[in-house]
Amino acid sequence: MNVPPSIQPVPRTGVLRLSPGQERLWFLDRLHSGGTGYLIRSHMRLRGAWDPAVFGRAVTEVVRRHEVLRTRYEDDAGDPVQVVDPPGPADVTVVDLTGGPVGDPHAATRAAALLDAAAARPFDLRREHPLRVVVVRLAPTEHLVGLTLHHIAADGWSCDILMRELDQAYRALAAGRPRPAPPPVQYADVAAWQRRRREAAGTSGIEYWRDQLAGLDPVMLPTDRPRDAGRDRRGDVFTVDVPRHVARLVDATGERHGTTAFMTLLAAFQVLLAHRTGRTDIAVGLADAGRDEPETEDLIGFFINTLVLRTDLSGGPSFVEVLHRVRETVLSALMHNDVAFEDVVAAVRPGRDPARNPLFDIMFQVLHTSGTPGTLGGAAVEPLPTTATAAKFDLVFTVFRSAAGDLQCMLEYAVGLFDRTTMQRLAEDYVTLLERLAGAPQVRAIQPAPAPGAPTTPTTSTTSTTPTTQPAAAPVSPSGPVEQAVAGIWSALLDVDDIAADDDFFDLGGNSLLVIRVRAALRRTFAVDLPVQVLFEAATVAELAAAVTAAVRADVGRMSTSQVQGVLLRAAPKGTR
């Protein structure tokens, strides 16, 4: 690549584009307007001498230091742009419940409800900054604090930075120490650098992922309820502790066979999925930290890049062999982690399903819990559970690993698909399997497939048939001004000529971000504002033209077809009349 090795500041006088990861989150926010699936929530109880007013100033100080916490996201003709606002007072709400009866048993309940309400409220990214803080005073030495962030501005690593800097800022303000200067590089600079790196990259990374994920059929766990056509984003969480002796077995197995704890834990999880589904082609998602550059280590922002870890478990391998295969998969993926997930999806072009995520719907991650401070401004911090939970995937399986090596599993799952008891069994089976495999890694981990011709039993509820090949119908050219205008918009955005009426936007190379630009072009051309979901469902020229016609008719009231066509003809570009 020709990109400089270090990240340099960019002028704030021009347009500030989003990073590739931010663009996807922005699109998802537009697709699911009012959704809360990409909010990060942290609730805590503080005990000890502590001043909410000083804390409010500390929040303002951290927001001053990190531009991304005072950035809004606007739509510039279908392209999202960052708008960095000047420093100002942060969004901190303080509620004092100490004025009620002494020992009021309902005060804690009301305080928790206030935090949950703030955590459940979506952000308007065009008008709001992506950090919301609520402080509830229960007693002079007892406070509840709720922090809510939008993922477009932060990730898990950022949350540790935020807590650390809030603690440092509080202590500095309380002691009257001078304010430190903001970091020389801000997230907008990182976003510009990522885009330059993306443009300068060759095709080797894309080719790797295209080959690695060719023919991928995403893993689907057996569900307790049928999957709806739309995505049910209600979620819940289940946790289970891993016995200490099992955690020690994991470490010993990794040391003996040259794998990290993450690789060993992932290998056991992929074996569990193979047992549950009867499949040996197992792929899960991984949120890679994406902080390889030194300038990013202490910066708040969204750096995560999603990787797909696909492992072939065929042939009845032992756990040792599974470990070797997983190790190769992980190392190869990390060698190509500079390719944005959005570009991987565009290259692989998986089938579209509004109820599913592309390429995978099960994520696995290992998080270290040693980085969060135990105090905030001198007060002891006690983490509290949050009731507002949304499921971004069917299942996110997280293993928390402490500095001492202790393990805890947390399953965040879609309640529309799974019962809590099902997730409890899955977690318990994982711990049992982990102990068995790590304790006897030479034992066969997965049974080999039956010999050719042997009777088989289906392991999933889905079957597939091969349709009879029919002669391809001749393409039909767009007819009428609306279809012709839609085809013209597509042609300009996709750089494709001779678009037929039944051509599919996504088969022609369209993607989620181009959908937004199509929507903006339709708004300019026909003065209609179609929901994003409609543009996914009406994927052909003819279907989208019909949706535009219906929208115009709804806007102008009851009109005859000829009258509506007249309105559309006048709105269509001159070249399509």
Side-chain angles (χ1 to χ4, degrees), residues 258 342 434:
E342 295 70 30
L434 187 62

Side-chain angles (χ1 to χ4, degrees), residues 269-287:
F269 182 67
Q270 291 191 310
V271 170
L272 177 67
L273 293 180
H275 289 177
R276 276 289 197 275
T277 63
R279 292 179 43 171
T280 56
D281 181 7
I282 305 295
V284 299
L286 168 69

Side-chain angles (χ1 to χ4, degrees), residues 179-198:
R179 303 186 306 175
V185 167
Q186 295 286 334
Y187 187 80
D189 305 316
V190 176
W193 177 81
Q194 287 183 350
R195 299 187 75 87
R196 292 197 306 272
R197 184 178 64 171
R198 185 187 198 183

Side-chain angles (χ1 to χ4, degrees), residues 322-503:
V322 173
L323 286 173
H324 292 163
R325 297 183 190 182
V326 167
R327 182 178 183 273
E328 181 179 353
T329 295
V330 171
L331 293 179
S332 296
L334 292 177
M335 287 177 62
H336 298 87
N337 68 350
D338 58 339
V339 181
F341 180 68
E342 295 70 30
D343 294 338
V344 174
V345 173
V348 178
R349 298 173 67 175
R352 292 179 292 107
D353 184 345
R356 302 295 306 277
N357 286 290
L359 300 179
F360 70 91
D361 232 322
I362 299 175
M363 177 169 275
F364 181 85
Q365 55 190 0
V366 176
L367 300 180
H368 296 268
T369 59
S370 57
T372 304
T375 62
L376 180 56
V381 174
E382 174 194 348
L384 297 176
T386 61
T387 59
T389 302
K392 296 185 285 291
F393 302 94
D394 289 0
L395 172 64
V396 178
F397 196 105
T398 303
V399 182
F400 292 99
R401 181 177 170 87
S402 71
D406 295 328
L407 304 175
Q408 182 188 58
C409 301
M410 183 180 78
L411 286 69
E412 183 180 356
Y413 62 94
V415 299
L417 299 177
F418 304 108
D419 293 331
R420 188 174 180 84
T421 54
T422 300
M423 292 295 101
Q424 179 179 354
R425 287 194 300 271
L426 187 72
E428 293 171 348
D429 287 352
Y430 176 72
V431 174
T432 300
L433 182 65
L434 187 62
E435 179 178 17
R436 179 173 69 83
L437 295 175
Q442 301 294 342
V443 175
R444 191 187 301 275
I446 299 174
Q447 293 301 318
T456 60
T457 301
T459 57
T460 65
S461 59
T462 59
T463 58
S464 61
T465 59
T466 302
T468 303
T469 302
Q470 299 291 340
V476 178
S477 298
S479 62
V482 186
E483 287 190 5
Q484 291 169 3
V486 170
I489 291 170
W490 286 14
S491 179
L493 290 176
L494 300 173
D495 194 22
V496 175
D497 296 327
D498 300 324
I499 295 177
D502 59 352
D503 277 344

